[in-house]
Amino acid sequence: MCGVCGTYAPDDGRFDRGVVATMHSRLVHRGPDETYSLNTDVLSAKLGRLGMNGLADGWQPAEDRSGRYVALTNGEVYNARELHEHLGSAGGANRVDVAVVPELVARYGVQGLSRIDGQFATVVLDRADNELFLARDRFGICPMYYAVTGSRLHFCSELKPLVQSVPEAWKVDLGAVDQYLSLGNIVAPRTLVQGVRAVPPGCAVRFGPGLRPRTERYWRYGDFSAAGDDVGAEEIRDTLRRSVRDRLHADVEIGAYLSGGFDSSAIVTEVSGLQSTPLRTFSVVFDDPALDEGRFQREVAAAVGSKHEQVVCRPADISARFEEMVRHCCYPQRETYNVAAMMLADTVRATGIKGVLSGEGADELFFGYDSYAFDSAARTGRAARAENEQAWGRADFGWEVDWRRLEQRRTAYLTPEAREALAGREFWRTRLIPFSDEEVASLSRMQLRSVADVYVQLSGHLLGDHGDSMLMGSSVEGRYPFLGNAVVALAQRVGDERKMVDFEGKSCLKTAYDGVVPDSVLRRGKHGFTAYDLRAVTDARTWDRWRDLVGASGLFPAGCLDTDPRSRAADKWDFRLSAISIALVMDELGLEL
């Protein structure tokens, strides 16, 4: 996966290369194997490599054949061979898969990135026009952050090294805080830091003299077709199998996460038929029977013959490592499960595994969450709100926002000064999905929910702080077969009525794996990521220290951590965790209100 950072100063070439070195030193966990540099009169950039492919005959920076475009890229291009053949560049000496990126840009411009089946964040310098662009894969698996300060652009694979290395008076972004209190997520391009942006998934942000950013979208999710009746079980399995096969390609061993749910079970089942050696699988188990999925994990591991390892996450682990986790990823939290995810990644790396397959994306693409079942019911009289229309393009669609609770939550969790400063920056004032009102009108309710789930929850949270941050903190790369180009294209061809059948989501997927995945897993209900209640496992001294930190932020009243449990019962998430984690991030990054 790697980590990339740098500074670009197109107007005067004046910048401190020491800032780049400092950022890179704080990214070593992302790329501990090698370091590459790209230095010109206007650009200083570094990439720390986590070697997965082309270990003996691949390098960076990579150039196109003309030498006009030069790139530093982290991630994987799974169809690199096909792309090189198409471009006529297969005979090049550089065998690292991402070397195809500058060739694509030279031939097709930014739109050439749409041809990549993979996950990447790239920095491409156009030497002829003295322009630079930052781009990210279709779903934002690989992160990329940037900030313009004066005549300089700084960019980095992680938020924390950028903010801590660039000397600025950074402030918290109240609009991002409101997004989190409203949605449980922060939606790109926003970040928790005012003035620091995230490159949106499926986009490239171009910079030239004057450093005025121009965002160009090269792909978006949600262009559904009506030709789904021809998609059969055999095609579904074959398409997912090919995506799994592609994501097993590496010069190092690839393992897999096995949660005990359907998605990861389908993936490891396909792996068992693609390789002769036993797959290494990893999972988390809990002492609490209400949280534990161990028996399903063990059943699937036995069925596929994997070499399985379970990591026990206990209440004491949550208490001891919650703050460590937050200060590492610098992203708000709404539950404690990321501690378990961090422990799992630690264990994977300790075994020598550098990459794991994971099942993210299936629920969003094939309507697996319970909310799709509610949408499938014939209901009328949904309340229309102008705020919904501005945020989503449809007045009667509010995604997961509980408007009845939202203002109460703002009152409980924001100081009067913060609420006053928030006016005019509320989350709904920004369009949260890349669709116009007219385009939204053409989507069914479940399709619109799928689009919102991808851009609000999958890209920022599941692939972000839950995925990339936890994995790469231990130098482990996540790979996601359900997000392969062919699987996504197939999902957009399957009709709503085949994804949701009798209030059962992912129906077409489960039909395809009937008799393949153990029946106990195939028939079980959805079990989301869940771990222990933070307050229940935290001692009074630690809670008091967090209360003081929350109060000192100036953003939250200290008393918000003592809200009546009965008033919190109606909330989907425990927003006390959000207040604690945002206060911790503000402290870690030195953010002011």
Side-chain angles (χ1 to χ4, degrees):
M1 189 74 83
C2 312
V4 63
C5 62
T7 300
Y8 171 60
D11 294 310
D12 55 21
R14 297 173 58 188
F15 55 89
D16 183 356
R17 296 179 190 270
V19 170
V20 180
T22 302
M23 278 195 286
H24 175 69
S25 70
R26 290 168 168 156
L27 283 175
V28 171
H29 53 277
R30 299 189 67 90
D33 296 335
E34 291 180 279
T35 295
Y36 299 114
S37 298
L38 172 59
N39 291 298
T40 74
D41 291 341
V42 297
L43 172 68
S44 177
K46 290 184 178 293
L47 181 139
R49 185 186 191 191
L50 179 65
M52 307 293 286
N53 291 293
L55 301 185
D57 51 7
W59 63 85
Q60 294 199 59
E63 296 182 341
D64 76 299
R65 283 166 290 180
S66 73
R68 174 175 176 174
Y69 296 96
V70 58
L72 285 174
T73 306
N74 68 341
E76 309 293 339
V77 178
Y78 300 113
N79 62 336
R81 179 180 299 177
E82 293 85 347
L83 291 173
H84 275 303
E85 290 176 354
H86 171 74
L87 294 166
S89 57
N94 190 351
R95 298 297 180 180
V96 70
D97 53 354
V98 296
V100 75
V101 169
E103 292 286 355
L104 285 170
V105 174
R107 177 75 64 89
Y108 300 108
V110 167
Q111 293 303 315
L113 301 177
S114 66
R115 297 171 178 262
I116 292 176
D117 183 13
Q119 52 199 71
F120 64 90
T122 188
V123 180
V124 182
L125 177 66
D126 180 348
R127 288 166 165 153
D129 291 342
N130 191 27
E131 289 189 328
L132 179 137
F133 70 79
L134 310 174
R136 213 171 159 198
D137 62 76
R138 292 180 171 200
F139 288 93
I141 298 170
C142 295
M144 178 64 80
Y145 300 94
Y146 67 90
V148 175
T149 62
S151 60
R152 291 168 291 279
L153 165 72
H154 307 282
F155 54 88
C156 191
S157 291
E158 292 185 1
L159 179 72
K160 178 177 172 178
L162 191 159
V163 173
Q164 289 187 335
S165 303
V166 176
E168 287 287 317
W170 300 107
K171 295 184 177 182
V172 68
D173 186 329
L174 281 174
V177 172
D178 192 58
Q179 279 190 351
Y180 206 83
L181 292 179
S182 307
L183 306 168
N185 297 280
I186 297 175
V187 184
R190 277 196 187 277
T191 75
L192 199 56
V193 183
Q194 192 178 130
V196 180
R197 311 292 274 177
V199 176
C203 290
V205 184
R206 188 184 297 267
F207 300 87
L211 289 178
R212 290 178 292 274
R214 291 171 289 158
T215 300
E216 302 176 32
R217 178 168 295 281
Y218 67 83
W219 187 85
R220 71 175 182 182
Y221 169 72
D223 292 324
F224 300 93
S225 69
D229 290 341
D230 296 329
V231 180
E234 184 177 346
E235 183 180 358
I236 290 173
R237 274 207 65 189
D238 181 64
T239 303
L240 181 58
R241 184 184 303 115
R242 285 186 282 112
S243 186
V244 170
R245 179 203 63 199
D246 292 344
R247 281 149 184 81
L248 286 172
H249 177 70
D251 293 342
V252 297
E253 184 179 2
I254 302 297
Y257 279 171
L258 179 56
S259 69
F262 168 78
D263 308 331
S264 61
S265 298
I267 288 171
V268 301
T269 299
E270 293 297 357
V271 175
S272 68
L274 289 169
Q275 62 183 36
S276 57
T277 56
L279 174 69
R280 298 288 298 271
T281 53
F282 303 87
S283 64
V284 172
V285 293
F286 298 95
D287 291 335
D288 187 343
L291 303 175
D292 187 53
E293 300 179 80
R295 72 179 183 90
F296 298 105
Q297 298 161 2
R298 292 187 290 271
E299 182 176 357
V300 175
V304 302
S306 69
K307 184 178 179 181
H308 189 58
E309 185 161 352
Q310 292 180 318
V311 179
V312 181
C313 180
R314 298 181 172 88
D317 297 313
I318 300 293
S319 176
R321 302 194 68 180
F322 180 80
E323 182 168 335
E324 173 194 349
M325 176 270 293
V326 173
R327 289 183 181 274
H328 164 67
C329 70
C330 284
Y331 194 87
Q333 303 296 306
R334 63 196 195 197
E335 54 206 355
T336 63
Y337 189 86
N338 271 0
V339 174
M342 182 170 63
M343 294 173 61
L344 190 59
D346 288 346
T347 300
V348 170
R349 195 65 176 99
T351 66
I353 299 293
K354 297 173 73 173
V356 289
L357 306 181
S358 191
E360 277 77 5
D363 287 312
E364 292 78 10
L365 271 59
F366 292 94
F367 302 176
Y369 296 124
D370 291 343
S371 50
Y372 292 96
F374 290 108
D375 284 343
S376 69
R379 297 170 62 190
T380 59
R382 298 175 190 263
R385 297 184 66 104
E387 296 94 333
N388 285 338
E389 190 162 11
Q390 193 157 339
W392 313 104
R394 183 165 171 171
D396 65 345
F397 179 81
W399 192 62
E400 302 288 339
V401 178
D402 186 343
W403 289 100
R404 295 171 299 177
R405 297 279 301 164
L406 180 54
E407 196 54 43
Q408 298 174 18
R409 192 180 306 132
R410 286 176 178 150
T411 300
Y413 286 96
L414 294 176
T415 62
E417 295 78 12
R419 291 200 304 274
E420 182 179 355
L422 177 63
R425 289 186 274 180
E426 296 88 349
F427 84 95
W428 51 265
R429 295 183 183 277
T430 302
R431 180 58 57 93
L432 299 171
I433 56 176
F435 282 74
S436 67
D437 290 359
E438 294 75 18
E439 291 169 327
V440 167
S442 69
L443 301 175
S444 71
R445 179 171 290 276
M446 285 189 287
Q447 289 171 346
L448 178 53
R449 182 175 296 278
S450 178
V451 170
D453 280 347
V454 162
Y455 285 104
V456 177
Q457 180 161 271
L458 178 65
S459 295
H461 168 50
L462 294 176
L463 297 174
D465 71 294
H466 178 64
D468 178 86
S469 289
M470 297 301 101
L471 284 161
M472 290 304 294
S474 297
S475 307
V476 178
E477 176 179 277
R479 297 181 170 195
Y480 306 94
F482 280 107
L483 299 181
N485 289 7
V487 178
V488 175
L490 178 146
Q492 293 182 121
R493 289 169 47 212
V494 177
D496 294 8
E497 70 285 351
R498 293 194 54 214
K499 294 176 182 174
M500 178 63 63
V501 177
D502 294 332
F503 303 105
E504 178 69 27
K506 295 187 289 196
S507 180
C508 59
L509 274 180
K510 293 182 177 180
T511 297
Y513 283 87
D514 193 1
V516 180
V517 168
D519 194 65
S520 61
V521 172
L522 194 73
R523 307 300 174 195
R524 67 180 298 221
K526 176 69 178 171
H527 191 287
F529 296 126
T530 310
Y532 304 103
D533 174 74
L534 183 62
R535 183 64 186 97
V537 302
T538 303
D539 61 73
R541 183 175 180 179
T542 300
W543 197 260
D544 287 344
R545 180 169 59 83
W546 285 344
R547 183 188 291 107
D548 291 342
L549 194 64
V550 165
S553 71
L555 181 60
F556 305 108
C560 70
L561 299 191
D562 303 311
T563 52
D564 187 342
R566 291 171 297 180
S567 68
R568 292 187 286 102
D571 277 329
K572 184 175 181 180
W573 302 301
D574 187 347
F575 287 95
R576 295 177 305 173
L577 273 68
S578 304
I580 292 169
S581 56
I582 292 173
L584 287 169
V585 174
M586 292 178 68
D587 181 65
E588 182 72 12
L589 300 182
L591 303 183
E592 300 175 354
L593 184 59

